[in-house]
Amino acid sequence: MNFNFLKKANKMMINPTTKVYRQKTVEGFSIPAIIRNGSYFFVDLDVYEDGRVNCWNFEDFEHFKKDVRRGWVRLNIPDNEEISIHSLGAWTITDGAWIFTPESFIDYVLSLVKKLNPKLENIYQYSEKKINGVNIGEDGSSSVYREHKRTPDDIFPDKIDGKSLNLFYKVKEEYHLTQVNIFSDQTLRLSRLEETVELTLQELEELIAKKIIVTEVPALSRVHIYGLGSFTIKQAEYTADINQKRLEIRDIVGKLNGEPTSIQLCRQAYTQYINDPTPSNKERLKITYENVPDHNKMYVGDMDTKDIEVRMIIYGEQEIERWSHYQVAKARGEKLPTISIPKTKDDTP
C-alpha cells in the first residue's frame, strides 16, 4: 500500500487546527505634552522603541510628526486659556514659559527613540487594519513599572507593575506637577521632577498632612511641569479634593494586590441590599459608597443611572432629581422618568 505523505503533509500545513498568539514587551518613556482637542488637555505621551507614540492617536512616527505639526500635539498653552488635568482639575493660566517648538519636540522624541533603539531597527510602519469593513485600532497605553534586581548584577530584573496619577508637589512657594507612580508593595515614586523622589505610602500620607502634596494651587502661584514648561495660575476652574485622591491611591494599592476595589465592594453591597433590604445592609451600602472616591462614584452603577439608585437608597428618593435623564425630561416638560428601589424592611408597612 502506498501513502502520499507529501499530500498529507501539505494538507496539514494548509489547515492548521491550533491557534496561538504571542505577546511582546516594547520598552518606552513617558513624557509630558498637551493635546489640543477643543480644550487643552495635559497628557503624558508614551514613546516606544519601535517609533510609535501614543498621543491619543497610535499609528507610527510619521503620523506622530503630522499630529505635532497640525497642532493636535501642542507644546504650549496660550495665556488666559485653561489647562485641564485628568481627575485633578482645570486652571486658567498666564505668563507661560515653554521649552519646545514643534520641530524641536519632534527631534527630542526621535532622540528618545534612538536612546531605546540606537540603530533604529524594526521601526513600525502603520498599515490600516479592517475586519468586516471596520477599522481596527490598537491600544497604545503603557504599564508603569519599576525594576527589582535580585542581585546587583541582575541583567533581567523583575518588573513590578504600577499605576500613576497626577498631584502637585510644593517646594517653597512653587508647585511641581508630579506623576505619582504607585506600586503593589506600597512604595511610590514621584517622577516628572528633575530628581525622582522615592517614598512609602505612609510617607506620602505625611506629605499630604503637611500640605506638601496637594491638589489645590493658590492663584498667582507658579507651576512647573518638568520637561515641558511653566506658567502662573490665574484662577482655578475646579479641583479635586486631596482626601479623595488619598482614597484613590489606597484603591490602586489594593487593586495591584488583587483586592477588590471600592467600586466593586460598593456594587457587592448594592446587590446584597437589593436581595435583602435590611437596615444593616443599607448601612453597609452607605459605608462602601462613601469610601469610593467622589470622581469614581458615577461608576458604581450602569452607564444609564450611574450612582443614582445607590444614592436614592442611602439618602432618599429625592436623589432622583440629580439624574440627568430626570433633569432633561423636567426641562422639556416631558413625563418624568422613575427608578424603582426596594424600601428598607423597617419602612415597609
Side-chain angles (χ1 to χ4, degrees), residues 140-193:
S141 59
S142 62
S143 295
V144 174
Y145 75 91
R146 69 174 177 82
E147 292 184 343
H148 172 67
K149 291 190 174 185
R150 289 154 291 192
T151 65
D153 300 323
D154 189 355
I155 61 173
F156 296 111
D158 292 332
K159 287 182 171 64
I160 300 178
D161 287 344
K163 298 289 184 181
S164 63
L165 52 79
N166 293 305
L167 291 171
F168 292 108
Y169 182 47
K170 185 179 179 182
V171 180
K172 297 182 180 179
E173 295 305 314
E174 297 189 323
Y175 295 80
H176 299 260
L177 181 61
T178 183
Q179 185 183 65
V180 183
N181 299 317
I182 307 149
F183 303 100
S184 57
D185 58 1
Q186 298 193 21
T187 61
L188 298 97
R189 174 177 296 154
L190 305 184
S191 64
R192 208 189 302 112
L193 300 170

Side-chain angles (χ1 to χ4, degrees), residues 267-323:
R267 288 172 178 168
Q268 292 171 8
Y270 169 75
T271 299
Q272 188 170 350
Y273 176 85
I274 294 298
N275 293 332
D276 188 16
T278 63
S280 60
N281 284 341
K282 178 179 177 179
E283 180 62 20
R284 178 170 177 259
L285 177 60
K286 182 176 185 292
I287 292 170
T288 57
Y289 176 75
E290 292 178 351
N291 280 335
V292 177
D294 285 348
H295 52 280
N296 287 337
K297 282 183 166 66
M298 69 176 73
Y299 302 116
V300 300
D302 59 33
M303 293 180 65
D304 185 25
T305 59
K306 298 181 171 61
D307 61 340
I308 295 300
E309 291 175 78
V310 173
R311 294 188 63 86
M312 289 173 65
I313 293 168
I314 298 171
Y315 306 121
E317 294 191 9
Q318 76 282 351
E319 289 293 317
I320 196 172
E321 296 175 11
R322 299 163 60 104
W323 187 24

Side-chain angles (χ1 to χ4, degrees), residues 225-293:
I225 304 178
Y226 184 73
L228 186 62
S230 64
F231 51 83
T232 297
I233 295 293
K234 190 171 182 180
Q235 68 180 37
E237 306 305 325
Y238 71 91
T239 58
D241 180 85
I242 188 62
N243 291 316
Q244 299 302 315
K245 302 306 286 186
R246 181 193 279 117
L247 290 176
E248 183 178 359
I249 290 168
R250 291 175 181 172
D251 239 7
I252 291 171
V253 171
K255 186 175 182 179
L256 290 170
N257 283 283
E259 299 170 5
T261 65
S262 59
I263 291 175
Q264 291 170 327
L265 291 172
C266 185
R267 288 172 178 168
Q268 292 171 8
Y270 169 75
T271 299
Q272 188 170 350
Y273 176 85
I274 294 298
N275 293 332
D276 188 16
T278 63
S280 60
N281 284 341
K282 178 179 177 179
E283 180 62 20
R284 178 170 177 259
L285 177 60
K286 182 176 185 292
I287 292 170
T288 57
Y289 176 75
E290 292 178 351
N291 280 335
V292 177

